[in-house]
Amino acid sequence: MWVLSGDIGGTKLALAISKAEEPAKLVKQIEVKSPQQSETLFQAIIDGFQSLLESEQGDVTKVAVGLPGVLDIEQGLVIYQQNLPWRNFPLVEKLQAHYPNAEIIMETDMTTAANGEYKIRHFQKETMIYMTVSTGIACCTIHEGNALRGAGIPGEVGFSLTREGEYLEWMGSGPALQKMIQEKTGDEATLEQFFKRYYENDARILPIIHTWQEEIAHKIHTFLMLLDPHVVVLGGGVMNHHPQMVKEIAEKVDAFFTLPFFEHKKGRIQASINKGDAGLIGAALL
């Protein structure tokens, strides 16, 4: 028995299979560039799943996919994505046609990633916030096993305001941070190169990275004061590749709690366990 999972992004399409009895253990996975035509993208998903199932025995019991943008989960429709070609696309119905005996699940990519981090920790009743810092910034809150959906579009923390009055994503995402450092230093290096220089205590880079860390830390401090989650997980490409950033941001958050009766809020920040496979593992565990 097999579980098929997919993490469908604007630039890449990641697919995996796992056994139904061990959905968090990805047996095989592939990654391809996302086609930018509607039916071609869907066919790429089907072809990818079939290639993973080739030579494998057993039925498909579940197909679960996570993707960005606006979804109508109840109707199984992909309404709109900025970097994908689907508009009111009946994804669940079309997947069901290919896998008629399987359970078909569609979720937001933030929810799938958060779900994997929640369940890999064997949480059941806890409250956890998963925050991704990558090409964008967003978060998902899970409380007692259920993702909080609010009035329909929760977790868009990237569009909350910084202390300077701009959107957090415009200065805090990976591309935005790279651009900011380039503008302040006049250097056209990559973000990876800038982080390397930061670790080497480059005096030009240190204050810029520290300002970025403080903005992220202030946002997490607000989370802790508002919802008092048991854990805040930092994931996404920037955090997954730079665990020292998670550590230093956590230290900044803890330093904000100066009152003795908030001492218990310290030590809540954790790095992602599932790293780059967070979306695939989280989808498989839905």
Side-chain angles (χ1 to χ4, degrees), residues 4 8 18 21 33 40 64 89 125 136-138 151 156 166 207 212 225 254 274 276:
L4 308 180
I8 304 169
S18 53
E21 61 270 23
K33 186 176 180 180
T40 306
F89 189 80
K125 296 294 184 181
I137 298 178
E156 294 293 348
E166 63 180 333
W212 169 77
M225 297 306 296
D254 287 352
N274 295 328

Side-chain angles (χ1 to χ4, degrees), residues 2-253:
W2 296 100
V3 172
L4 308 180
S5 55
D7 188 5
I8 304 169
T11 57
K12 69 176 183 178
L13 172 63
L15 305 171
I17 61 170
S18 53
K19 294 181 179 179
E21 61 270 23
E22 290 184 295
K25 185 177 181 181
L26 305 180
V27 175
K28 288 189 290 185
Q29 60 191 104
I30 58 171
E31 188 175 295
V32 297
K33 186 176 180 180
S34 293
Q36 291 302 305
Q37 293 78 39
S38 179
E39 289 298 332
T40 306
L41 174 58
F42 178 75
Q43 191 59 49
I45 295 171
I46 298 303
D47 291 345
F49 281 148
Q50 291 308 111
S51 70
L52 289 170
L53 289 167
E54 190 174 352
S55 76
E56 303 292 354
Q57 302 296 317
D59 297 327
V60 174
T61 61
K62 181 168 70 176
V63 182
V65 295
L67 58 162
V70 181
L71 312 178
D72 184 335
I73 292 173
E74 290 187 3
Q75 298 297 318
L77 297 174
V78 180
I79 304 298
Y80 176 83
Q81 289 82 28
Q82 184 172 344
N83 298 313
L84 286 172
W86 287 335
R87 302 292 182 268
N88 297 309
F89 189 80
L91 180 59
V92 169
E93 178 183 322
K94 292 178 74 67
L95 285 171
Q96 195 75 74
H98 279 270
Y99 303 101
N101 298 318
E103 177 187 13
I104 310 295
I105 304 174
M106 178 182 75
E107 259 296 357
T108 68
D109 53 357
M110 280 304 305
T111 301
T112 55
N115 179 65
E117 295 293 336
Y118 192 88
K119 290 180 178 173
I120 209 76
R121 289 170 170 77
H122 305 291
F123 285 170
Q124 292 181 325
K125 296 294 184 181
E126 290 83 355
T127 301
M128 187 201 81
I129 296 175
Y130 173 83
M131 181 177 181
T132 181
V133 181
S134 187
T135 53
I137 298 178
C139 68
C140 175
T141 303
I142 298 182
H143 174 65
E144 295 187 351
N146 297 308
L148 300 185
R149 300 187 186 276
I153 310 179
E156 294 293 348
V157 67
F159 294 99
S160 62
L161 298 179
T162 67
R163 292 170 294 174
E164 298 298 321
E166 63 180 333
Y167 292 136
L168 178 64
E169 191 164 297
W170 289 4
M171 65 82 61
S173 67
L177 177 59
Q178 175 178 297
K179 181 180 179 182
M180 181 170 65
I181 301 175
Q182 288 174 340
E183 290 176 348
K184 289 182 179 294
T185 62
D187 191 326
E188 293 299 314
T190 66
L191 186 57
E192 286 299 313
Q193 291 169 331
F194 285 134
F195 273 125
K196 184 176 185 294
R197 295 178 194 175
Y198 172 82
Y199 301 139
E200 295 169 350
N201 294 315
D202 186 317
R204 296 185 306 160
I205 308 299
L206 286 170
I208 305 172
I209 296 289
H210 286 161
T211 298
W212 169 77
Q213 290 176 335
E214 286 163 8
E215 288 293 352
I216 302 291
H218 272 278
K219 203 62 62 176
I220 295 171
H221 177 259
T222 302
F223 297 164
L224 290 166
M225 297 306 296
L226 179 65
L227 295 176
D228 197 27
H230 297 82
V231 170
V232 176
V233 176
L234 294 183
V238 174
M239 298 301 178
N240 291 342
H241 290 102
H242 297 279
Q244 184 171 326
M245 293 299 107
V246 178
K247 177 178 178 293
E248 292 182 10
I249 289 169
E251 289 170 351
K252 290 183 182 297
V253 173

